Amino acid sequence: MDTARNRNVFGAFALMISDDIVRASSSRAPEAGPAASALALLAHKPGLSIRMLAVGVGLSHAGTVRLVDRLASEELIERREHSTDGRTRSLYLTPAGKVSSDEILTARDRVIAEGLSILDPRELKILSDIAERVLRSRLENLEQSYRVCRLCCYEGCTNCPIDAELLARGMDREKTDDVEGAPSPAREV
């Protein structure tokens, strides 16, 4: 068994699919960069704070505020009062943002389907089962879960392995958008 070769082949496969996903999803986004991830993540988790959106898309707080400003000016997202913290704003997709997010996720799904089309249903199930085991074992924390799922189609992910692992660890993304141990957010614009 050539373990180093197997890792290299998998690494090349993962990069190829990842590059295709980024290219396809970005082509449907209103701008290059993390806009596609922001719209998809807000479809996945409406009501995120700017702080948690920043975590998910990998930007600084200031960079995320600027991204939110641009997406809001294009009427793709809107800020609303946070349900429990008056200093924080919750972010939601507008109807136009939902359309944009759907287009991004459809493009993403199309390239994944094309990339895996060579596999028969049994092989795809085996690959999915292996990927689920790796995802669950490699998940570090709630914060990372937003980065991992930033371009996921939540409606298509019944029995999400990330959500299942978080619940097994006593965390629930559906009940919080706060990172464990993170300081209280400053007033968000």
Side-chain angles (χ1 to χ4, degrees):
M1 178 172 4
D2 191 345
T3 304
R5 180 188 179 280
N6 292 341
R7 286 193 307 264
N8 278 323
V9 168
F10 178 78
F13 162 76
L15 281 174
M16 178 189 291
I17 296 293
S18 176
D19 288 348
D20 289 347
I21 289 169
V22 169
R23 190 173 24 263
S25 59
S26 294
S27 74
R28 305 305 300 170
E31 63 180 59
S37 295
L39 293 171
L41 191 53
L42 288 172
H44 183 119
K45 182 85 166 72
L48 275 181
S49 66
I50 289 175
R51 184 169 57 99
M52 286 309 299
L53 183 64
V55 167
V57 299
L59 289 175
S60 67
H61 181 82
T64 305
V65 169
R66 288 189 297 274
L67 174 63
V68 166
D69 287 345
R70 290 190 306 274
L71 295 175
S73 73
E74 294 182 40
E75 298 182 355
L76 297 171
I77 64 172
E78 63 185 9
R79 294 175 177 95
R80 298 182 193 164
E81 295 277 327
H82 192 276
S83 62
T84 60
D85 186 346
R87 302 169 296 165
T88 302
R89 298 292 169 258
S90 297
L91 304 172
Y92 292 87
L93 294 177
T94 63
K98 175 71 170 121
V99 168
S100 184
S101 177
D102 288 347
E103 290 173 356
I104 289 164
L105 293 173
T106 297
R108 170 200 168 270
D109 187 56
R110 188 176 307 118
V111 298
I112 294 170
E114 288 170 5
L116 301 178
S117 65
I118 193 165
L119 302 177
D120 66 41
R122 181 186 60 78
E123 291 170 324
L124 186 56
K125 174 72 169 115
I126 290 168
L127 181 60
S128 177
D129 289 346
I130 292 168
E132 180 173 339
R133 282 181 39 214
V134 172
L135 283 168
R136 289 185 74 150
S137 73
R138 300 279 303 160
L139 183 65
E140 294 172 8
N141 53 35
L142 181 65
E143 188 175 273
Q144 185 194 30
S145 76
Y146 287 101
R147 288 190 304 272
V148 169
C149 294
R150 72 185 177 275
L151 277 171
C152 282
C153 176
Y154 198 63
E155 292 145 1
C157 193
T158 56
N159 302 315
C160 171
I162 298 296
D163 284 343
E165 186 61 28
L166 288 170
L167 287 173
R169 296 179 188 184
M171 295 176 268
D172 187 353
R173 283 194 294 199
E174 294 307 310
K175 294 183 180 174
T176 183
D177 71 355
D178 200 8
V179 177
E180 195 171 288
S184 282
R187 181 170 198 86
E188 296 179 351
V189 180

